[in-house]
Amino acid sequence: MKALSCALLIFLVGLGCARIYRPVELVSPPRRTAQTEGLPGGLSPQPWGDNSRYGRKASDANLRVLALSLENTSATEVEVLRLDLPEGVTPLSAEAAATLVKQHSGAHLLYPLIPALLAAGSSGSGVGTYGPSPAAVFGAIAVVGLLVGLPNVAVAERSNRNLAQFFREEAWSPGRLEPGQIRRGLIFLRSPETRAPLTLRVISRSGSSERSLELTTPAATPL
């Protein structure tokens, strides 16, 4: 019973604690010389800041979160139509991206659940005629697990909501740019390689003609 209790404690400790989401600012991509006159832009990886757990989950899910910036430096309105992506790269919504990296809050319910199940299945008294019974030991661990697990569930849920809100509020979308207007935002992409440079094309229209602006993000730095 002692060995089982130790193994249980090691397993529960191995689950780890929920991480608090630390707010980050939308990065300003470096302005680059545009191939399309009057529409310079920049593209760069969005840093995760102190949220390395989300960053690692994004890497495991082949998710790239990039900051895109466009500025209309012409004297006429420009309509940004779409983004053309490389083969094998697919766009995601802000909601889908947040789902890929969210912390699994329900896992922290294992803290009280597993020892409670073991307590329910235990019988008998302690070793010889001394000491607590296995059911009492596992019951005590379950109580401690409940006190630890519930706060972790709350932290994970709140952190997931805050990250999802950041993604939604900062998500980039096509549309019209008035003269002098700047549009910045996040784009969410799934690609086989998440650290190599990536090149995409911004398709825009000014008047009756379509134009293409090619932007490349630098390689991402390891977490």
Side-chain angles (χ1 to χ4, degrees):
M1 196 273 291
K2 182 178 179 181
L4 180 58
S5 299
C6 292
L8 175 61
L9 289 173
I10 292 173
F11 171 75
L12 294 178
V13 170
L15 287 176
C17 295
R19 295 294 187 269
I20 298 174
Y21 170 71
R22 308 290 184 183
V24 296
E25 297 291 332
L26 178 65
V27 69
S28 296
R31 177 169 167 172
R32 303 193 175 192
T33 302
Q35 296 182 4
T36 300
E37 182 180 357
L39 190 67
L43 184 68
S44 65
Q46 169 64 35
W48 289 96
D50 294 330
N51 304 293
S52 58
R53 173 172 290 188
Y54 286 111
R56 287 192 295 269
K57 290 176 72 69
S59 180
D60 293 341
N62 292 331
L63 171 67
R64 302 183 75 148
V65 181
L66 305 177
L68 171 63
S69 177
L70 297 172
E71 180 181 3
N72 181 5
T73 59
S74 71
T76 59
E77 180 186 81
V78 173
E79 182 180 6
V80 180
L81 301 175
R82 66 184 185 277
L83 302 178
D84 280 355
L85 304 174
E87 184 177 357
V89 177
T90 56
L92 294 177
S93 66
E95 291 77 12
T99 298
L100 284 177
V101 300
K102 71 178 182 180
Q103 300 182 63
H104 297 294
S105 58
H108 299 288
L109 294 177
L110 294 176
Y111 281 111
L113 180 60
I114 292 179
L117 292 175
L118 290 174
S122 300
S123 60
S125 60
V127 179
T129 58
Y130 301 97
S133 68
V137 172
F138 291 132
I141 296 176
V143 171
V144 174
L146 185 65
L147 296 176
V148 173
L150 289 183
N152 275 274
V153 170
V155 168
E157 287 290 338
R158 184 168 61 251
S159 295
N160 288 339
R161 288 196 302 270
N162 290 340
L163 176 65
Q165 181 180 4
F166 173 68
F167 279 4
R168 288 193 304 271
E169 291 178 350
E170 300 296 347
W172 185 89
S173 62
R176 300 181 183 276
L177 288 177
E178 301 295 333
Q181 184 179 357
I182 298 175
R183 175 170 296 174
R184 297 168 53 215
L186 297 175
I187 59 175
F188 311 95
L189 308 175
R190 293 197 80 174
S191 63
E193 175 55 60
T194 59
R195 300 198 183 281
L198 181 143
T199 299
L200 57 78
R201 293 190 304 149
V202 180
I203 308 301
S204 62
R205 179 168 55 208
S206 181
S208 59
S209 61
E210 287 193 5
R211 302 180 298 180
S212 174
L213 168 65
E214 188 172 279
L215 297 173
T216 300
T217 178
T221 56
L223 295 171

